[in-house]
Short mmCIF file of all heavy atoms in Angstrom, two decimals:
data_model
loop_
_atom_site.label_atom_id
_atom_site.label_comp_id
_atom_site.label_asym_id
_atom_site.label_seq_id
_atom_site.Cartn_x
_atom_site.Cartn_y
_atom_site.Cartn_z
N SER A 195 101.27 85.88 89.44
CA SER A 195 100.51 86.25 88.23
C SER A 195 99.16 85.52 88.15
O SER A 195 98.27 85.97 87.45
CB SER A 195 101.33 86.00 86.97
OG SER A 195 101.62 84.63 86.83
N PHE A 196 99.01 84.42 88.87
CA PHE A 196 97.73 83.72 88.88
C PHE A 196 96.76 84.30 89.91
O PHE A 196 95.62 83.86 90.00
CB PHE A 196 97.93 82.23 89.15
CG PHE A 196 98.67 81.50 88.05
CD1 PHE A 196 99.32 80.32 88.32
CD2 PHE A 196 98.73 81.99 86.76
CE1 PHE A 196 100.01 79.62 87.33
CE2 PHE A 196 99.42 81.33 85.75
CZ PHE A 196 100.06 80.14 86.05
N SER A 197 97.22 85.27 90.70
CA SER A 197 96.32 85.89 91.66
C SER A 197 95.58 87.10 91.08
O SER A 197 94.77 87.71 91.74
CB SER A 197 97.08 86.31 92.92
OG SER A 197 97.91 87.42 92.63
N VAL A 198 95.89 87.42 89.83
CA VAL A 198 95.20 88.51 89.14
C VAL A 198 93.87 87.98 88.63
O VAL A 198 93.80 86.90 88.05
CB VAL A 198 96.06 89.01 87.96
CG1 VAL A 198 95.31 90.07 87.17
CG2 VAL A 198 97.38 89.53 88.46
N ASP A 199 92.82 88.74 88.83
CA ASP A 199 91.51 88.32 88.36
C ASP A 199 91.42 88.55 86.85
O ASP A 199 91.17 89.66 86.39
CB ASP A 199 90.41 89.09 89.10
CG ASP A 199 89.03 88.55 88.80
OD1 ASP A 199 88.86 87.85 87.77
OD2 ASP A 199 88.11 88.82 89.58
N HIS A 200 91.65 87.50 86.09
CA HIS A 200 91.66 87.58 84.63
C HIS A 200 90.28 87.81 84.03
O HIS A 200 90.16 88.09 82.85
CB HIS A 200 92.30 86.32 84.04
CG HIS A 200 93.79 86.30 84.19
ND1 HIS A 200 94.40 86.06 85.40
CD2 HIS A 200 94.78 86.52 83.31
CE1 HIS A 200 95.71 86.11 85.26
NE2 HIS A 200 95.96 86.40 84.00
N THR A 201 89.24 87.71 84.84
CA THR A 201 87.89 88.02 84.32
C THR A 201 87.62 89.52 84.38
O THR A 201 86.65 89.98 83.79
CB THR A 201 86.79 87.29 85.13
OG1 THR A 201 86.76 87.79 86.47
CG2 THR A 201 87.02 85.78 85.11
N ARG A 202 88.48 90.28 85.09
CA ARG A 202 88.26 91.72 85.23
C ARG A 202 89.38 92.58 84.68
O ARG A 202 89.24 93.79 84.59
CB ARG A 202 88.06 92.05 86.72
CG ARG A 202 86.79 91.42 87.27
CD ARG A 202 86.58 91.64 88.77
NE ARG A 202 87.04 92.91 89.26
CZ ARG A 202 87.72 93.06 90.40
NH1 ARG A 202 88.00 92.03 91.15
NH2 ARG A 202 88.11 94.25 90.79
N ILE A 203 90.50 91.98 84.31
CA ILE A 203 91.63 92.77 83.82
C ILE A 203 91.30 93.38 82.46
O ILE A 203 90.58 92.78 81.65
CB ILE A 203 92.93 91.94 83.76
CG1 ILE A 203 94.15 92.85 83.60
CG2 ILE A 203 92.88 90.89 82.67
CD1 ILE A 203 95.47 92.15 83.80
N VAL A 204 91.80 94.56 82.23
CA VAL A 204 91.64 95.24 80.95
C VAL A 204 93.03 95.41 80.34
O VAL A 204 94.03 95.28 81.03
CB VAL A 204 90.96 96.62 81.13
CG1 VAL A 204 89.54 96.46 81.68
CG2 VAL A 204 91.79 97.55 81.99
N PRO A 205 93.10 95.70 79.06
CA PRO A 205 94.42 96.01 78.49
C PRO A 205 95.06 97.17 79.24
O PRO A 205 94.37 98.10 79.69
CB PRO A 205 94.10 96.38 77.04
CG PRO A 205 92.85 95.61 76.74
CD PRO A 205 92.06 95.67 78.02
N GLY A 206 96.37 97.11 79.39
CA GLY A 206 97.07 98.18 80.10
C GLY A 206 98.49 97.82 80.46
O GLY A 206 99.06 96.86 79.93
N ILE A 207 99.04 98.58 81.39
CA ILE A 207 100.42 98.45 81.85
C ILE A 207 100.36 98.26 83.36
O ILE A 207 99.94 99.18 84.08
CB ILE A 207 101.22 99.71 81.50
CG1 ILE A 207 101.20 99.97 79.99
CG2 ILE A 207 102.66 99.60 82.02
CD1 ILE A 207 101.70 101.36 79.59
N PHE A 208 100.77 97.10 83.84
CA PHE A 208 100.61 96.76 85.26
C PHE A 208 101.93 96.27 85.85
O PHE A 208 102.74 95.67 85.16
CB PHE A 208 99.57 95.65 85.42
CG PHE A 208 98.28 95.93 84.72
CD1 PHE A 208 98.01 95.39 83.48
CD2 PHE A 208 97.33 96.77 85.30
CE1 PHE A 208 96.81 95.66 82.83
CE2 PHE A 208 96.13 97.05 84.66
CZ PHE A 208 95.87 96.49 83.42
N THR A 209 102.09 96.48 87.15
CA THR A 209 103.20 95.87 87.85
C THR A 209 102.78 94.45 88.21
O THR A 209 101.81 94.25 88.94
CB THR A 209 103.55 96.65 89.14
OG1 THR A 209 103.95 97.97 88.77
CG2 THR A 209 104.67 95.96 89.90
N SER A 210 103.52 93.49 87.69
CA SER A 210 103.23 92.09 87.98
C SER A 210 103.91 91.65 89.26
O SER A 210 103.31 90.98 90.09
CB SER A 210 103.68 91.22 86.81
OG SER A 210 103.46 89.86 87.09
N ARG A 211 105.18 92.03 89.42
CA ARG A 211 105.91 91.67 90.63
C ARG A 211 107.16 92.53 90.75
O ARG A 211 107.68 93.03 89.77
CB ARG A 211 106.26 90.19 90.67
CG ARG A 211 107.11 89.73 89.51
CD ARG A 211 107.40 88.25 89.52
NE ARG A 211 108.27 87.92 90.63
CZ ARG A 211 108.24 86.77 91.29
NH1 ARG A 211 107.40 85.83 90.93
NH2 ARG A 211 109.05 86.54 92.29
N VAL A 212 107.63 92.68 91.98
CA VAL A 212 108.87 93.40 92.27
C VAL A 212 109.74 92.44 93.06
O VAL A 212 109.30 91.86 94.05
CB VAL A 212 108.59 94.68 93.09
CG1 VAL A 212 109.90 95.39 93.41
CG2 VAL A 212 107.64 95.61 92.34
N ASP A 213 110.97 92.27 92.59
CA ASP A 213 111.90 91.35 93.24
C ASP A 213 113.19 92.07 93.61
O ASP A 213 113.68 92.88 92.83
CB ASP A 213 112.24 90.18 92.31
CG ASP A 213 111.04 89.31 92.03
OD1 ASP A 213 110.57 88.64 92.96
OD2 ASP A 213 110.57 89.31 90.88
N THR A 214 113.71 91.74 94.77
CA THR A 214 115.02 92.24 95.18
C THR A 214 116.00 91.09 95.05
O THR A 214 115.80 90.02 95.63
CB THR A 214 114.98 92.78 96.62
OG1 THR A 214 113.99 93.81 96.67
CG2 THR A 214 116.32 93.34 97.02
N LEU A 215 117.03 91.32 94.27
CA LEU A 215 118.06 90.31 94.03
C LEU A 215 119.38 90.89 94.51
O LEU A 215 120.04 91.64 93.78
CB LEU A 215 118.13 89.97 92.54
CG LEU A 215 116.80 89.62 91.86
CD1 LEU A 215 116.94 89.59 90.36
CD2 LEU A 215 116.30 88.29 92.38
N GLY A 216 119.74 90.57 95.73
CA GLY A 216 120.95 91.18 96.30
C GLY A 216 120.75 92.67 96.45
O GLY A 216 119.82 93.13 97.11
N ASP A 217 121.61 93.45 95.80
CA ASP A 217 121.54 94.90 95.87
C ASP A 217 120.62 95.49 94.79
O ASP A 217 120.48 96.71 94.71
CB ASP A 217 122.93 95.52 95.71
CG ASP A 217 123.85 95.17 96.87
OD1 ASP A 217 123.32 94.87 97.96
OD2 ASP A 217 125.08 95.20 96.68
N TYR A 218 120.04 94.63 93.96
CA TYR A 218 119.25 95.11 92.83
C TYR A 218 117.76 94.84 93.02
O TYR A 218 117.38 93.82 93.57
CB TYR A 218 119.70 94.44 91.53
CG TYR A 218 121.12 94.77 91.16
CD1 TYR A 218 122.15 93.91 91.50
CD2 TYR A 218 121.41 95.94 90.48
CE1 TYR A 218 123.46 94.22 91.17
CE2 TYR A 218 122.72 96.26 90.14
CZ TYR A 218 123.75 95.40 90.49
OH TYR A 218 125.04 95.71 90.17
N THR A 219 116.97 95.76 92.52
CA THR A 219 115.53 95.56 92.45
C THR A 219 115.15 95.49 90.98
O THR A 219 115.63 96.29 90.17
CB THR A 219 114.77 96.73 93.13
OG1 THR A 219 115.16 96.76 94.50
CG2 THR A 219 113.27 96.56 93.03
N VAL A 220 114.34 94.52 90.66
CA VAL A 220 113.82 94.41 89.29
C VAL A 220 112.31 94.32 89.36
O VAL A 220 111.75 93.76 90.30
CB VAL A 220 114.40 93.19 88.52
CG1 VAL A 220 115.91 93.32 88.34
CG2 VAL A 220 114.05 91.88 89.19
N THR A 221 111.67 94.89 88.36
CA THR A 221 110.21 94.89 88.30
C THR A 221 109.76 94.23 87.02
O THR A 221 110.26 94.53 85.94
CB THR A 221 109.66 96.33 88.38
OG1 THR A 221 110.16 96.94 89.57
CG2 THR A 221 108.14 96.33 88.40
N THR A 222 108.81 93.32 87.17
CA THR A 222 108.18 92.68 86.02
C THR A 222 106.86 93.38 85.76
O THR A 222 106.03 93.50 86.66
CB THR A 222 107.92 91.18 86.29
OG1 THR A 222 109.17 90.55 86.61
CG2 THR A 222 107.31 90.50 85.07
N TYR A 223 106.69 93.84 84.53
CA TYR A 223 105.47 94.53 84.12
C TYR A 223 104.65 93.63 83.21
O TYR A 223 105.21 92.93 82.36
CB TYR A 223 105.79 95.84 83.40
CG TYR A 223 106.51 96.82 84.27
CD1 TYR A 223 107.90 96.87 84.29
CD2 TYR A 223 105.81 97.69 85.10
CE1 TYR A 223 108.57 97.76 85.11
CE2 TYR A 223 106.47 98.59 85.92
CZ TYR A 223 107.85 98.61 85.91
OH TYR A 223 108.51 99.50 86.73
N ASP A 224 103.37 93.66 83.38
CA ASP A 224 102.40 92.97 82.53
C ASP A 224 101.92 94.01 81.53
O ASP A 224 101.27 94.98 81.90
CB ASP A 224 101.26 92.47 83.42
CG ASP A 224 100.08 91.88 82.69
OD1 ASP A 224 99.83 92.23 81.52
OD2 ASP A 224 99.36 91.08 83.33
N ILE A 225 102.28 93.83 80.28
CA ILE A 225 101.83 94.73 79.21
C ILE A 225 100.72 93.98 78.49
O ILE A 225 100.95 93.15 77.61
CB ILE A 225 102.99 95.08 78.24
CG1 ILE A 225 104.25 95.51 79.02
CG2 ILE A 225 102.53 96.12 77.23
CD1 ILE A 225 104.07 96.71 79.94
N ARG A 226 99.50 94.23 78.90
CA ARG A 226 98.33 93.44 78.48
C ARG A 226 97.63 94.11 77.30
O ARG A 226 97.12 95.20 77.41
CB ARG A 226 97.37 93.31 79.66
CG ARG A 226 96.24 92.36 79.43
CD ARG A 226 96.68 90.93 79.42
NE ARG A 226 97.31 90.56 80.68
CZ ARG A 226 97.25 89.36 81.22
NH1 ARG A 226 96.59 88.38 80.62
NH2 ARG A 226 97.85 89.11 82.37
N LEU A 227 97.60 93.42 76.16
CA LEU A 227 96.99 93.96 74.96
C LEU A 227 95.55 93.52 74.76
O LEU A 227 94.78 94.21 74.08
CB LEU A 227 97.79 93.55 73.71
CG LEU A 227 99.05 94.33 73.40
CD1 LEU A 227 100.13 94.12 74.42
CD2 LEU A 227 99.56 93.97 72.02
N LYS A 228 95.20 92.37 75.29
CA LYS A 228 93.88 91.78 75.04
C LYS A 228 93.17 91.41 76.34
O LYS A 228 93.80 91.14 77.35
CB LYS A 228 94.03 90.50 74.18
CG LYS A 228 94.53 90.77 72.78
CD LYS A 228 93.49 91.50 72.00
CE LYS A 228 93.92 91.86 70.60
NZ LYS A 228 92.89 92.63 69.93
N LEU A 229 91.85 91.38 76.28
CA LEU A 229 91.04 90.92 77.40
C LEU A 229 91.13 89.40 77.47
O LEU A 229 90.66 88.71 76.56
CB LEU A 229 89.58 91.33 77.20
CG LEU A 229 89.26 92.82 77.20
CD1 LEU A 229 87.86 93.07 76.65
CD2 LEU A 229 89.41 93.38 78.59
N PRO A 230 91.72 88.84 78.51
CA PRO A 230 91.85 87.38 78.59
C PRO A 230 90.50 86.69 78.58
O PRO A 230 89.56 87.12 79.24
CB PRO A 230 92.55 87.16 79.93
CG PRO A 230 93.20 88.46 80.25
CD PRO A 230 92.34 89.52 79.65
N ASN A 231 90.40 85.65 77.81
CA ASN A 231 89.22 84.79 77.75
C ASN A 231 87.96 85.49 77.23
O ASN A 231 86.89 84.92 77.24
CB ASN A 231 88.92 84.17 79.12
CG ASN A 231 90.11 83.44 79.67
OD1 ASN A 231 90.68 82.59 79.00
ND2 ASN A 231 90.51 83.77 80.88
N ARG A 232 88.09 86.74 76.79
CA ARG A 232 86.92 87.47 76.31
C ARG A 232 87.08 87.97 74.89
O ARG A 232 86.12 88.40 74.28
CB ARG A 232 86.61 88.65 77.24
CG ARG A 232 86.11 88.18 78.61
CD ARG A 232 86.05 89.31 79.59
NE ARG A 232 87.41 89.55 80.05
CZ ARG A 232 87.81 90.62 80.70
NH1 ARG A 232 86.96 91.57 80.98
NH2 ARG A 232 89.05 90.75 81.11
N GLU A 233 88.29 87.97 74.38
CA GLU A 233 88.51 88.31 72.98
C GLU A 233 89.65 87.43 72.47
O GLU A 233 90.41 86.88 73.27
CB GLU A 233 88.79 89.80 72.79
CG GLU A 233 90.03 90.34 73.45
CD GLU A 233 90.20 91.84 73.20
OE1 GLU A 233 89.87 92.33 72.11
OE2 GLU A 233 90.68 92.52 74.11
N PRO A 234 89.75 87.28 71.17
CA PRO A 234 90.79 86.39 70.65
C PRO A 234 92.20 86.81 71.08
O PRO A 234 92.50 88.00 71.17
CB PRO A 234 90.63 86.51 69.13
CG PRO A 234 89.23 86.97 68.93
CD PRO A 234 88.91 87.84 70.12
N ALA A 235 93.02 85.81 71.34
CA ALA A 235 94.43 86.05 71.65
C ALA A 235 95.11 86.61 70.41
O ALA A 235 94.58 86.56 69.30
CB ALA A 235 95.09 84.75 72.09
N ILE A 236 96.30 87.12 70.61
CA ILE A 236 97.08 87.68 69.51
C ILE A 236 97.60 86.55 68.63
O ILE A 236 98.05 85.51 69.12
CB ILE A 236 98.25 88.51 70.06
CG1 ILE A 236 97.70 89.66 70.92
CG2 ILE A 236 99.14 89.06 68.94
CD1 ILE A 236 98.75 90.36 71.76
N ASP A 237 97.52 86.74 67.33
CA ASP A 237 98.04 85.78 66.36
C ASP A 237 99.50 85.45 66.70
O ASP A 237 100.29 86.36 66.99
CB ASP A 237 97.93 86.40 64.96
CG ASP A 237 98.59 85.56 63.92
OD1 ASP A 237 97.98 84.56 63.48
OD2 ASP A 237 99.75 85.88 63.55
N VAL A 238 99.85 84.19 66.66
CA VAL A 238 101.19 83.75 67.08
C VAL A 238 102.29 84.40 66.25
O VAL A 238 103.29 84.89 66.80
CB VAL A 238 101.31 82.21 67.03
CG1 VAL A 238 102.72 81.76 67.37
CG2 VAL A 238 100.31 81.55 67.96
N ALA A 239 102.14 84.44 64.94
CA ALA A 239 103.17 85.03 64.08
C ALA A 239 103.29 86.54 64.33
O ALA A 239 104.40 87.09 64.35
CB ALA A 239 102.86 84.75 62.61
N ALA A 240 102.17 87.21 64.57
CA ALA A 240 102.21 88.64 64.87
C ALA A 240 102.87 88.87 66.24
O ALA A 240 103.66 89.81 66.41
CB ALA A 240 100.81 89.22 64.85
#
């Protein structure tokens, strides 16, 4: 996840990683709502 260029990412739905665990495959998705370091982060309570 640190190899993603956070200066160029836009909000969206991305595949972060795919892992095979024995007979199972699981996928981690990055559901990005905000532009990192370019707009305010989401309020913690929200």
